[in-house]
Every structure is written in structure tokens, then in C-alpha cells.
Amino acid sequence: MTGLYKNLVGLSRQQLADEMLVIGEQPFRAKQLWHWIYHQGETDFELMTSIGKPLREKLQAAYEVRKPAVSLEQTSSDRTRKWLVKLEDGNEVETVYIPEEDRGAICMSSQIGCTLTCTFCHTGTQRLVRNLTPAEIVGQFMVARDSYGEWPTPTDGGRMISNIVMMGMGEPLFNYDNVATALKIIMDGEGIALSKRRITLSTSGVVPEIERCGRDLGVNLAISLHAVRDELRDVLVPINKKYPLVELLNACRTYPGSNNARRITFEYVMLDGINDSAADARELLRLIKGIPAKFNLIPFNPWPGSAYECSKPHTIRRFSEILLDGGYSAPIRVPRGRDIMAACGQLKSESQRLKRAARTAMPEQPAGL
Ligand code: SAH
Ligand code: SF4
């Protein structure tokens, strides 16, 4: 049963209070409902026992608490888990969970496809279908929590799904309003209650939205930098033609809330012979001078038809060491979930291909670094 009743998932606190007025209830009822939906994870109004029967019946007559469906769940040999999330219009997006020892990050998508065409990114070869709604963004988180049985919201801090990275498909700052509504729902202390300090939004560099993101959401910022010269970044990350490096780095310099304890992450995909020289690393240090920064070196994940190769392991190590010598943290990201095509830049279309081939057939695991 989908679409018949209005979905309460994805409404802001204010919108939920407004709905109470619509059915002739006091707005404070929204608080109770919020607790049931986002703290308890309850979807059945009948089981929301602290709510009186008359209101439960009214709710049932008009609303639903609806999460997206899961068409496929896969767990990698390294415990990375991926969900192919089925939306109400039949489109699908991917959500990935990357576990650490006793915690982990969920990597969420913000759009179906992407309008941008970064040349090393598989998502960039897909046209933008549409923005995800707040319900679909929050829904990805709820689906992951269902899968790990993490309801009600753990209050002792011991959560497996402890962090969010907005690094799935799409450019989150091109869907700012919906992403912001969703993240505010997730950060609300009376529900899912995930701190802004545990959320990182990655952008290719939509400069005009960066300040608002810091002021309004206060989440950690990650920048997909990938090149230290405009000529190269214009090719790798074409939005650079609109917002060149100097403007991007200025926005980073003034990002609200960043300090030495909360550094901006600069993501840098390692492309063999393209952006991985020692001179590039030194130029990178010069560029980000004065910004509270850390790096994340991402070995390029190839995809069928991609024009690049991943840098050699020793080249990546040399690059990392130059940044370390400059006084910055510069870990090399270990590719996770490659056997289920869950690694950076591999989302969505691989699953579609897989799905077409045979749901049970697994691709060979490419050699890791
Ligand atoms: N659109 C946003 C967030 C999604 S991409 C952005 O571009 O920041 C998340 C990260 O994965 C980005 O840093 C992106 O550059 C990187 N990425 C994309 N394709 C990749 C690939 N094939 N190999 C490695 N990293 C990739
Ligand atoms: Fe879009 Fe990010 Fe991929 Fe660029 S790297 S095409 S912005 S998803």
C-alpha cells in the first residue's frame, strides 16, 4: 500500500505540528508522534500505545509512516552492506554502510543520478533523474537501522550506525533544501538524535551553498578537490569552470564552525599520471594553507569504460607522506565493499547491470591496494 495516505516520514517538526492542526488536534501531539517514529522506529499507529485511541484512529484514516522498500541487500566479505532502495515511483538509489570495529558510517545518496559530469565518477555518466525528497533521504537511514535492529534509538552512545556521510549518488548541495530538512530530522535530539559532529557532507564545490550549509546545519564539510590547478580541475570536476579553486578555497576558509578540532576534509582521488605527482602534493599544501584541513586520499575505483587508472601504491604513499610531513592527516582510504560494487563512484548502475545479469551472480573481486 503506497501513496494512498500521506507519509509522515520526512516532514519537519513544524510540518508535523501543522498536520495535527489539519486533523483538529493540538500541535503538541507532534512531539509524541515524533518520538514514536524517530526514537522508537514504530510504523504502526496501533502500536503507538501512549497515543489515545481516538487520535490513533484519526491518524490511521489519513496518514502512514512509510519507509522505502529494499529491493536488494548485500553484505560484502568485509562486512560492508549495501541496500538497493526502491522508491515509490520505481526508481532506485543505493545506500551503503561501512562498518568499523564497534561503529560505522552510512553513506547516503541525495539525488538519483547527478547533473555534474566528473570524468572519473560512474554516477557522473548517468543523467540526473531527480532530487530525492526528505522522506527518501531519511528513509535510507531508517532502512539501515531496520537492518541492524537499531531501534529504539540507543541512548548509551553504543550505536553501530554512528555516522553519516553524504557521499552516495548526487550532489547534496544541488538538493540543499531536501537534504537540510532530512538532516535536521536526523539530528533532532528527540528522535534519531545523531549529532552534527557525526555527519559529513561532501560537495564537488557548489560555492554559493557552502556557507549556508555551515551556518544552517553545522555539519562537517568534505570537498572533492582532486586537482590543484584549474586547468585540470575543469576537466575532472567540471563545476570548477563555474566556481574555480580560488573561490572554493575561500569558501572553505570562512566555513562556519570549522576549527582545528573540526577540520575540513579534502578528498583527493588518486589517478595514475594525472594528479598524483610529488609537485601536486606540494602545491596542495600551499593551496590549503591557513585552512583547518585534513586529507582523504581515495584510490580510484575503476568502472567499465572509465578513462583512468588508479595510481600505483608507492605513488599514493609518497603523496600521503608529503602531506603528513606538511603536518596534516592524510590517510589512504581502504576500498570497502568492492565485491558488492559498493565502493566510491561505483553506485547504482553496477547494481542495475548486476540485476539484469542475475541477482545471484557476484562479480569477481578486483585486486585491492
Ligand atoms: N557529489 C558529491 C558527493 C558524492 S561523491 C561529491 O562529488 O563530493 C563522493 C566521493 O567519491 C567524492 O569525493 C567523489 O569524487 C568520489 N568518487 C567518485 N567516483 C569515484 C571513483 N570512481 N573512485 C574513487 N572515488 C570516487
Ligand atoms: Fe556528481 Fe559527485 Fe560524481 Fe561529480 S563526483 S559526478 S558531483 S556524484
Side-chain angles (χ1 to χ4, degrees), residues 114 116-118 120-121 123-124 168-171 204:
C114 189
L116 299 174
T117 51
C118 304
F120 54 87
C121 174
T123 308
M169 294 168 56
E171 169 47 61
S204 56

Side-chain angles (χ1 to χ4, degrees), residues 27 40 68-69 80-81 115 131 150 204 220 236 338 342 355-356:
Q40 298 288 353
T80 299
R81 186 168 291 180
T115 40
N131 284 333
E150 215 153 66
S204 56
N220 304 316
L236 297 180
R338 278 188 170 183
K355 223 171 41 174
R356 275 198 298 273

Side-chain angles (χ1 to χ4, degrees), residues 261-368:
R262 294 190 73 201
R263 292 165 185 266
I264 294 175
T265 303
F266 288 94
E267 297 163 275
Y268 199 93
V269 63
M270 302 300 304
L271 303 170
D272 189 27
I274 304 282
N275 63 354
D276 60 353
S277 72
D280 286 325
R282 285 192 290 271
E283 177 60 9
L284 186 49
L285 285 174
R286 199 189 64 77
L287 275 183
I288 57 93
K289 219 180 173 97
I291 302 174
K294 58 183 175 185
F295 296 100
N296 205 330
L297 305 182
I298 315 175
F300 171 63
N301 284 309
W303 36 272
S306 58
Y308 303 102
E309 282 179 32
C310 183
S311 306
K312 305 278 181 295
H314 69 90
T315 312
I316 303 181
R317 278 198 299 274
R318 179 184 64 181
F319 202 93
S320 168
E321 273 155 23
I322 293 171
L323 301 177
L324 281 172
D325 287 347
Y328 295 90
S329 152
I332 301 165
R333 194 183 286 176
V334 180
R336 303 286 301 265
R338 278 188 170 183
D339 55 341
I340 57 166
M341 291 290 164
C344 293
Q346 293 186 320
L347 297 187
K348 164 102 178 213
S349 32
E350 275 309 309
S351 297
Q352 289 188 333
R353 190 177 64 77
L354 249 187
K355 223 171 41 174
R356 275 198 298 273
R359 288 212 161 168
T360 48
M362 296 284 264
E364 263 177 51
Q365 180 163 9

Side-chain angles (χ1 to χ4, degrees), residues 39-174:
H39 179 79
Q40 298 288 353
E42 186 53 68
T43 55
D44 184 349
F45 294 121
E46 266 305 300
L47 301 178
M48 299 185 181
T49 44
S50 64
I51 297 176
K53 198 165 171 35
L55 173 53
R56 291 206 311 257
E57 282 172 359
K58 274 198 218 172
L59 289 169
Q60 235 151 12
Y63 301 108
E64 263 185 309
V65 178
R66 225 164 39 231
K67 294 178 235 179
V70 174
S71 20
L72 182 64
E73 176 181 296
Q74 289 174 292
T75 305
S76 155
S77 53
D78 69 12
R79 296 187 300 127
T80 299
R81 186 168 291 180
K82 185 172 83 172
W83 299 269
L84 190 58
V85 173
K86 180 137 190 153
L87 308 174
E88 290 180 12
D89 64 359
N91 276 305
E92 288 174 324
V93 284
E94 290 193 343
T95 308
V96 175
Y97 174 71
I98 306 128
E100 303 296 337
E101 196 53 34
D102 54 355
R103 43 185 255 148
I106 172 165
C107 176
M108 307 211 302
S109 295
S110 56
Q111 298 182 309
I112 305 170
C114 189
T115 40
L116 299 174
T117 51
C118 304
T119 44
F120 54 87
C121 174
H122 204 184
T123 308
T125 64
Q126 300 158 33
R127 67 185 182 91
L128 176 79
V129 179
R130 65 173 173 82
N131 284 333
L132 294 183
T133 64
E136 291 164 342
I137 299 168
V138 178
Q140 294 174 65
F141 189 89
M142 296 175 93
V143 156
R145 264 210 176 162
D146 285 348
S147 174
Y148 283 91
E150 215 153 66
W151 301 108
T153 295
T155 46
D156 57 0
R159 336 172 156 200
M160 280 302 285
I161 306 174
S162 60
N163 290 66
I164 291 180
V165 290
M166 293 302 296
M167 292 185 186
M169 294 168 56
E171 169 47 61
L173 295 188
F174 275 157

Side-chain angles (χ1 to χ4, degrees), residues 198-241:
R198 295 187 170 277
I199 300 177
T200 301
L201 183 145
S202 174
T203 179
S204 56
V206 187
V207 168
E209 301 292 349
I210 289 179
E211 202 264 341
R212 173 152 69 132
C213 174
R215 189 168 25 85
D216 184 28
L217 299 175
V219 296
N220 304 316
L221 182 68
I223 300 285
S224 293
L225 199 65
H226 307 321
V228 292
R229 282 170 289 112
D230 280 321
E231 307 83 77
L232 178 60
R233 197 164 189 271
D234 283 351
V235 175
L236 297 180
V237 189
I239 197 178
N240 192 69
K241 287 187 234 159

